[in-house]
Amino acid sequence: MVNQDCKALIKKVVAPNLGLILKHYCLSFLSSFRSKKQQIAGKLDLDHFFVIDKQSGISIGGYSDFDKKVDQDLVAGMLTAIKSFSESAFNQNQSQSINTISYSNFNIFMHNSFEHFYLAAVINSSASKYTQKRLKHYFKHVSTHLNKALEGKTTEEIQKNEVEQMLSKYFK
Amino acid sequence: MEYSKKIILVGQIGVGKTSLVQRYVKSIFNEDYLSTIGVKVDKKTVHVENDQVNLLIWDIAGEASFSKISKSYYLGAKGCIYVADCSRISTFTDYVNQVKMLKELIKDIKIITVANKIDLLDKQELEELKNNVSFDFYTSAKQGEKIEEVFHEIAKKVLCS
Ligand SMILES: Nc1nc2c(ncn2[C@@H]2O[C@H](COP(=O)(O)OP(=O)(O)OP(=O)(O)O)[C@@H](O)[C@H]2O)c(=O)[nH]1
Ligand SMILES: [Mg+2]
């Protein structure tokens, strides 16, 4: 199936739920943050970055510009539902390096970095080529840094603090 | 200690899966039937003795049950609440198959069975039902009956796994 059809279907079937979550938690904070962000030259308009268990959808660490305003577990769960849906519905190649879903103003990028985990970035801006290039770069770096903390481990064995510290060191 | 566990709600269409979750998470009930599309994820924190369990509740559309897609929603779940509708005996029939399939997919999954909508039965009918099917809980999402107990029990079970 063509990628376009796939995206349209995902948008129709699962994305509305996700949209609601994201909207509910984020929109009211966007305007103030946007102006602040624009002052920081060269900073990617990154709203959230998660490390997520591929199967259960449980967030094992995240970085967020809105910090406590977002329930990471909920967003991670919905992202995983969408991912599972698109992979099984369209037999998408799981190792495909980056998957993208657009909803309203949000662009979500997912990257299969590890055996049991994947990385997801939520961006509240149009995904320019430049943005995508930078994200690819970030995915690679974060994967390298987290490899030691995550390799061969299950969700239960992971120190969430360790993952979050690494992410905030990298993105702040 | 704090734990996060994924649990899934499965069962045929219209048995009240979404209503059970809504009653539990938001303390509301809606008479209208808005069939779930795909899956909806909710969260609620439960305290079991000294532990905190964040239940990530995947409410899976009845329409999707047994399909290839819904199987991918089951993965990673530690617990399952199987829901049937007291007023439709046919909704109890695929229980055995579903449980078998789930156990093949996830070896150590903990399963709880729930017969919902008991408010639609009179006392005698309910007794008859209990004699014929032995489910773990008999609930009413409408009246908020035994809902807390169901989720507390599944939290307790997944914590041991
Ligand atoms: N009387 C009564 N009605 C209920 C109860 N629980 C749910 N309902 C009604 O049954 C209908 C279906 O409920 P849902 O919770 O949407 O069912 P579901 O299992 O999520 O259905 P799908 O998403 O299609 O799989 C709705 O009209 C609810 O109001 C209950 O305990 N008693
Ligand atoms: Mg439903």
Side-chain angles (χ1 to χ4, degrees):
Chain A
M1 189 171 288
V2 235
N3 211 14
Q4 254 355 70
D5 290 347
C6 166
K7 277 184 189 166
L9 199 66
I10 290 168
K11 194 168 172 180
K12 192 174 135 221
V13 177
V14 203
N17 279 325
L18 175 74
L20 280 181
I21 293 173
L22 290 173
K23 262 190 198 153
H24 176 72
Y25 287 106
C26 305
L27 282 187
S28 50
F29 306 96
L30 283 180
S31 47
S32 61
F33 272 100
R34 214 174 266 147
S35 56
K36 190 182 139 205
K37 275 187 199 161
Q38 277 160 1
Q39 295 163 10
I40 311 168
K43 191 173 186 290
L44 184 76
D45 212 2
L46 181 70
D47 285 351
H48 313 287
F49 194 98
F50 299 107
V51 183
I52 302 171
D53 181 307
K54 266 184 196 168
Q55 292 196 334
S56 68
I58 287 170
S59 162
I60 60 156
Y63 164 78
S64 181
D65 245 4
F66 310 108
D67 276 332
K68 292 169 189 76
K69 302 301 175 195
V70 165
D71 189 317
Q72 288 187 4
D73 284 328
L74 271 184
V75 178
M78 277 318 298
L79 287 178
T80 309
I82 293 170
K83 192 168 171 292
S84 303
F85 172 81
S86 65
E87 282 172 0
S88 54
F90 308 106
N91 282 327
Q92 268 189 10
N93 185 0
Q94 295 207 7
S95 61
Q96 190 179 327
S97 70
I98 296 184
N99 285 314
T100 319
I101 290 168
S102 302
Y103 181 79
S104 175
N105 287 331
F106 297 101
N107 277 294
I108 300 149
F109 297 83
M110 294 181 270
H111 186 245
N112 280 309
S113 294
F114 305 95
E115 193 188 341
H116 299 296
F117 309 100
Y118 71 96
L119 306 177
V122 182
I123 289 180
N124 184 259
S125 63
S126 65
S128 67
K129 266 208 175 110
Y130 175 65
T131 304
Q132 295 197 32
K133 216 163 132 186
R134 256 173 113 173
L135 264 179
K136 216 169 176 173
H137 183 77
Y138 290 163
F139 278 141
K140 204 170 118 194
H141 278 204
V142 172
S143 305
T144 310
H145 282 290
L146 285 178
N147 201 36
K148 223 170 105 192
L150 302 184
E151 203 183 53
K153 289 184 184 161
T154 63
T155 294
E156 279 83 10
E157 295 161 348
I158 281 165
Q159 297 292 323
K160 211 172 164 171
N161 287 351
E162 203 182 323
V163 176
E164 297 210 317
Q165 266 171 23
M166 187 266 136
L167 291 178
S168 81
K169 219 159 85 187
Y170 190 78
F171 287 112
K172 262 183 185 147
Chain B
M1 285 281 280
E2 184 183 341
Y3 302 90
S4 290
K5 304 278 182 186
K6 170 179 174 178
I7 63 159
I8 51 175
L9 267 94
V10 299
Q12 291 183 20
I13 55 169
V15 295
K17 299 178 292 295
T18 303
S19 303
L20 287 167
V21 178
Q22 281 200 333
R23 168 62 79 188
Y24 179 60
V25 176
K26 303 196 185 104
S27 301
I28 52 168
F29 175 75
N30 189 353
E31 287 281 355
D32 299 334
Y33 176 29
L34 293 166
S35 191
T36 306
I37 302 167
V39 61
K40 171 117 181 16
V41 184
D42 259 301
K43 177 183 173 183
K44 185 152 168 169
T45 299
V46 188
H47 293 274
V48 179
E49 288 167 17
N50 292 325
D51 293 318
Q52 178 182 321
V53 190
N54 302 317
L55 290 180
L56 276 310
I57 307 166
W58 287 49
D59 167 19
I60 299 167
E63 198 182 47
S65 66
F66 278 123
S67 74
K68 192 170 130 209
I69 295 172
S70 72
K71 269 193 192 168
S72 70
Y73 295 147
Y74 299 165
L75 296 175
K78 297 288 173 199
C80 166
I81 300 175
Y82 180 88
V83 187
D85 176 344
C86 289
S87 68
R88 286 185 295 149
I89 200 74
S90 64
T91 60
F92 288 81
T93 51
D94 70 350
Y95 163 65
V96 177
N97 284 337
Q98 275 274 15
V99 168
K100 193 167 155 251
M101 188 267 281
L102 271 170
K103 291 210 158 148
E104 275 166 14
L105 204 64
I106 312 165
K107 220 174 59 220
D108 54 354
I109 192 164
K110 302 283 189 289
I111 299 171
I112 279 185
T113 50
V114 170
N116 187 39
K117 307 195 191 178
I118 55 165
D119 57 285
L120 296 178
L121 304 189
D122 64 29
K123 238 180 165 176
Q124 196 190 338
E125 286 171 325
L126 182 59
E127 282 316 308
E128 264 171 38
L129 181 76
K130 285 182 178 175
N131 288 334
N132 287 318
V133 295
S134 62
F135 265 39
D136 297 322
F137 288 92
Y138 295 83
T139 62
S140 167
K142 185 172 181 172
Q143 295 172 340
E145 207 168 320
K146 286 275 190 305
I147 312 294
E148 289 282 334
E149 286 87 340
V150 168
F151 287 93
H152 197 264
E153 182 66 20
I154 198 80
K156 240 167 67 184
K157 285 198 165 187
V158 296
L159 204 53
C160 302
S161 63

